[in-house]
Amino acid sequence: MRLLLAAVVVLPLLGAGAALLPAPPGLRGRSPEQAVLRHGVTVTGAVLAATAVLALGFDHDRPGTMQAETDIGWIPALGVRIHLGTDGVSLPLLVLTALLTFLCALYSYHRPPEGPRPQAFVALVLLLEAGTLATFAVLDLMLFFLAFETVLIPMYFLIARWGGAGRERAAWRFVLYTLLGSVVMLLGLLLVGLGAEGGPTFDMTALAEDGGRGLTHTTQLLAALAIGIGLAVKTPMWPLHSWLPDAHTAAPTVGSVLLAGVLLKMGTYGFVRIVLPVVPDGIHTLAPYLAAFAVTGIIYGSLACLALSRSGAGGDLKRLIAYSSVGHMGFVLLGVATLTRTGVNGALFANIAHGLITGLLFFLVGAVKDRTGTTDLDRLALGGGGERGGERGGECGGGAALYGRAPRLGGLLAFGAVASLGLPGLAGFWGEMLALLGAYHPADGLSRPAYLVFMALAALGTLLTAAYLLVVVRRVCMGTPHAPGAAPAPGTALPDVRGHEFAAWIPLVVLTVLAGLWPAILLGLTDPAVQNLLPGVSR
C-alpha cells in the first residue's frame, strides 16, 4: 500500500517527462500527435487503476486512521520529511483527481486541443495531475506548499496557450492571485512549524495531535489568518474570487474541468486538513467571519448568475457556471466555518459533489461550443450557431434549441443543471443540507443567532440557484418561445453525443446519482476521519 500511494503520486510526474520524448518505434501510431495523446490516456488510466486498487485495499473499518504511510527524512535541520499517507478525508479526493484527469485525457484523445504541440499539452496535464495528487497525499506542510504551488505553472500554460479569447490576461490573473495568496500562506505555515511544541516540525499528523499546544492564541490567530487567506484564494472565497470567471471563460474545456473539479478542492482540503486541527483556537475566533464571507459568496454568485442568465444580458454560459462555483464553494466554506462534524462532513461531501457535477457541466458546455461555435446565452436561446446558426432569429422556438437539435446533449445538460441546484436524490443535495444543519447548531462558543442568519441567507441562495439554473435550462434546452400563432421553427440538427463523449461523461452521471442515493459511500469514509481531526467536537 505504501508503494502504491507513492506510485500514484510519482507515475504522472514520470509520464509528464516521457511525453516530451520521441515515441518509441512501434508506438507512434498514425502520427506523433496521436501517439502522445494515447500516451496521456495510458498514463492517466494507469494512475486511475492504481488509485482504484488503493481504494479497494484501504481498510474501510479504520478510515479515521492514516494508512499507506511513507515517512522518510528529507531536511533534518528543519524537520521536513517526505511523509505520505491517506485517510477518509483525502482518499475520495485522490480518486476524484485520478478519474477526472483520465476522462480529460480520453476526451482530448478524440478531440485534440487546438493550439501548440500536443506533447506539451499532455505533459502539462500530467504535471497538473501529479501536483494535485501530491497535495492530497502529503502529510508535511512544506511538501504541501510545494505541491500546492506545482499546479500553478501547468494551469497557467494550459490557459495561456490553449485557451480562447482573453487567455493571456486570464492566465496572468490566475497566477498573480494565487501566488500572492501562497506567499501569505507560506508565512502562516512557517509560523506554525517553527513554533511547534518540542521544536520545529512540519509534520501534519504531529501538529494535529498537538492541537495548537505551544502556540499562543495570537500566534494561532495570525497563522489561521495567513494560511486561510492563501487557501481562500484557491477555493475561491468572495471577495478573492475575481480571477475565477476569467480563467474559466478563457480556459480550454479540459482546463475548465480540472480547474473546477480538482484545483478548487485544494483550498477547502487545506482548511480541513491543516487549519481546523493545527490552529483550533485561531480558526474558532475567525469562524464567524469565514461564515459571513461564505454566505456573501453564495448570494453574490447566485445574483451574478441570475444577471447573466436573463435575456439580452449577453451572458456567457461558461462564465455563468464559473460564478455558480463561487456560490457552491461558499457552502463548502460555510460547513467548515461551523466547526462541527456535521458541517465539515457536509463540506467534504459538497467538495466531491461539486467536482463531479461541475466537471460534467464544463464538459457539456465545451461540447455545445464545439457544435455551435458559441457559449453566448442569447445566441443559444435563439438557436444560434451550427451550420445555419440564427437564420430565423426571434422566430426560433423549441425546435431550434438543444432538445430539438441534439436531444441527448440537451438532456445531459438539463441533468447537470438539476444536479447542481441540489435536487434530492443527486449528489449536490447532501453537502448543502449538511452545511445548513451544521449552521443550525454551530460549535460551542460560536454565536447561534448569527449562524441562524447565515443559515437563512444560505437557504435563500439555494432558491436563487434553482432560479438561474432553471432559466438556463429553459433558454438553452427549450429555446426562446416562438411568435404567438406561429409554429416552432425547426433548427438545424447538431451532432448528438458521440461515443467518446458518452465514455467521458457517463461515469460522472453514474457517480452523481450513486452518491445522491447512497451518501454513506462518502460519509462512511469522512466521518471517522473528521472525528479524529476534531476530537473535542461531539456533533
Side-chain angles (χ1 to χ4, degrees), residues 126-480:
L126 291 172
L127 180 60
L128 183 68
E129 181 182 31
T132 309
L133 290 169
T135 301
F136 299 139
V138 298
L139 296 173
D140 184 277
L141 292 180
M142 289 298 100
L143 285 183
F144 176 86
F145 177 78
L146 292 176
F148 197 86
E149 294 302 288
T150 297
V151 303
L152 299 185
I153 300 304
M155 182 53 71
Y156 167 81
F157 282 108
L158 286 174
I159 297 173
R161 301 295 298 276
W162 286 272
R167 59 181 183 261
E168 292 185 2
R169 177 177 178 271
W172 272 111
R173 290 193 71 185
F174 165 75
V175 166
L176 289 177
Y177 265 79
T178 49
L179 272 180
L180 288 174
S182 297
V183 169
V184 178
M185 182 177 73
L186 178 60
L187 295 177
L189 296 177
L190 291 173
L191 194 61
V192 168
L194 297 178
E197 188 177 39
T201 180
F202 294 95
D203 187 274
M204 292 185 192
T205 55
L207 291 169
E209 289 173 1
D210 288 344
R213 291 193 301 271
L215 300 176
T216 66
H217 183 270
T218 301
T219 301
Q220 287 199 38
L221 183 61
L222 291 174
L225 182 62
I227 298 171
I229 289 174
L231 297 174
V233 172
K234 186 66 71 74
T235 297
M237 179 186 77
W238 182 93
L240 304 174
H241 70 284
S242 58
W243 61 270
L244 183 70
D246 289 340
H248 270 310
T249 304
T253 296
V254 167
S256 292
V257 171
L258 294 176
L259 180 58
V262 177
L263 264 67
L264 302 189
K265 312 302 173 281
M266 296 165 63
T268 50
Y269 171 78
F271 274 105
V272 177
R273 175 65 74 196
I274 300 173
V275 179
L276 293 185
V278 174
V279 284
D281 293 342
I283 191 58
H284 193 280
T285 301
L286 296 176
Y289 304 98
L290 178 61
F293 283 124
V295 171
T296 303
I298 293 170
I299 301 296
Y300 170 83
S302 299
L303 292 176
C305 291
L306 273 174
L308 289 171
S309 65
R310 63 186 176 86
S311 179
D316 183 275
L317 188 53
K318 284 189 75 174
R319 196 172 191 86
L320 184 145
I321 297 174
Y323 272 110
S324 77
S325 291
V326 176
H328 288 305
M329 298 309 289
F331 279 99
V332 177
L333 290 174
L334 176 61
V336 171
T338 66
L339 305 184
T340 63
R341 283 168 45 192
T342 301
V344 174
N345 274 301
L348 294 172
F349 198 102
N351 240 2
I352 301 298
H354 179 266
L356 295 172
I357 296 168
T358 308
L360 174 64
L361 284 173
F362 276 117
F363 267 135
L364 295 168
V365 173
V368 170
K369 186 175 183 180
D370 288 341
R371 288 158 169 78
T372 64
T374 185
T375 52
D376 183 271
L377 278 167
D378 291 332
R379 291 188 62 193
L380 292 173
L382 294 172
E387 297 177 0
R388 297 164 56 198
E391 286 183 6
R392 308 185 97 136
E395 298 178 1
C396 290
L402 274 185
Y403 283 162
R405 307 173 74 188
R408 293 186 182 88
L409 181 59
L412 284 171
L413 185 60
F415 171 84
V418 297
S420 185
L421 63 83
L423 185 72
L426 298 176
F429 170 75
W430 296 106
E432 295 181 1
M433 187 196 72
L434 291 172
L436 293 174
L437 288 176
Y440 185 72
H441 277 299
D444 296 337
L446 299 177
S447 171
R448 192 173 182 224
Y451 273 79
L452 289 176
V453 174
F454 298 149
M455 183 191 72
L457 291 174
L460 174 62
T462 63
L463 298 178
L464 296 175
T465 300
Y468 72 73
L469 285 171
L470 291 176
V471 169
V472 168
V473 171
R474 179 182 61 82
R475 297 190 67 204
V476 176
C477 297
M478 301 178 185
T480 300

